[in-house]
Amino acid sequence: GVQCLSPAVVYGRWNCPWTHRLLPFLNFTPLKYFSYCREDAPFGLRDEALRGKIAAQYDKTSLKDSSGASSLWYAHFPVRLFCEMRRLIARCKAILPQVRCPLLLVQADNDDMTSPRNSQYSMDHAGSKRRELVLLKEAYHGVTADLERAKVATELQRFCASQSVPNRGTSG
């Protein structure tokens, strides 16, 4: 089966900077190799305690030295990453009807980066007979680290277990 966490078919929600609209143009300039975006609060997290830890670490992080931030999250993202992501999203949308295996989508209802419409798009366009959507009420984009991380782990484990073939033993 396929598991998608906070899928991004269309990137952009209430916490995306307005500059993200410039990506189609930046993709054709050398600026994409030298430009970075710094992530700001809420860092894809509804969990205020974890958000505070990340903010404290980011305060000590610069573009030249981000070694301390990598243990938590990434403080800076190269613009080139977002340009490549747009191409990857287009490719995924094109092959989504070919996905025939069971599909589990986990999405925060109030995701700060990608709308739940992304999961609905995947549900509507996947070729899978079995499609499941888990909407989280107490999380933002970072669903595996946020307030409902235990629910995410449980749902992933349940879905994987439902895919396993029972062991029938060996004959011998």
Side-chain angles (χ1 to χ4, degrees), residues 40-167:
D40 293 320
F43 312 114
L45 297 167
R46 194 171 196 148
D47 183 336
E48 291 186 24
L50 185 53
R51 192 187 311 162
K53 289 178 185 178
I54 291 173
Q57 195 66 40
Y58 281 10
D59 287 344
K60 303 176 207 169
T61 303
S62 71
L63 189 56
K64 292 181 182 179
D65 180 21
S66 62
S67 58
S70 63
S71 64
L72 292 171
W73 233 249
Y74 292 103
H76 301 91
F77 295 92
V79 168
R80 184 176 180 195
L81 174 129
F82 294 103
C83 293
E84 293 296 325
M85 191 170 68
R86 288 174 50 83
R87 289 202 326 233
L88 180 61
I89 288 170
R91 178 73 179 126
C92 288
K93 285 172 77 172
I95 64 170
L96 194 54
Q98 298 172 32
V99 174
R100 303 271 185 241
C101 59
L103 176 64
L104 172 67
L105 298 146
V106 179
Q107 176 82 53
D109 197 32
N110 196 21
D111 191 317
D112 59 323
M113 293 290 165
T114 62
S115 167
R117 290 185 309 232
N118 289 285
S119 288
Q120 191 57 55
Y121 180 93
S122 298
M123 292 281 287
D124 294 343
H125 291 86
S128 308
K129 289 182 182 173
R130 179 179 169 199
R131 292 171 275 196
E132 298 179 36
L133 174 59
V134 175
L135 276 177
L136 305 171
K137 300 293 182 194
E138 296 296 322
Y140 288 162
H141 191 67
V143 297
T144 58
D146 215 342
L147 294 171
E148 293 186 82
R149 60 187 167 268
K151 180 178 181 177
V152 173
T154 299
E155 290 293 336
L156 295 175
Q157 188 175 32
R158 178 196 57 77
F159 184 78
C160 287
S162 74
Q163 302 304 306
S164 63
V165 178
N167 185 358

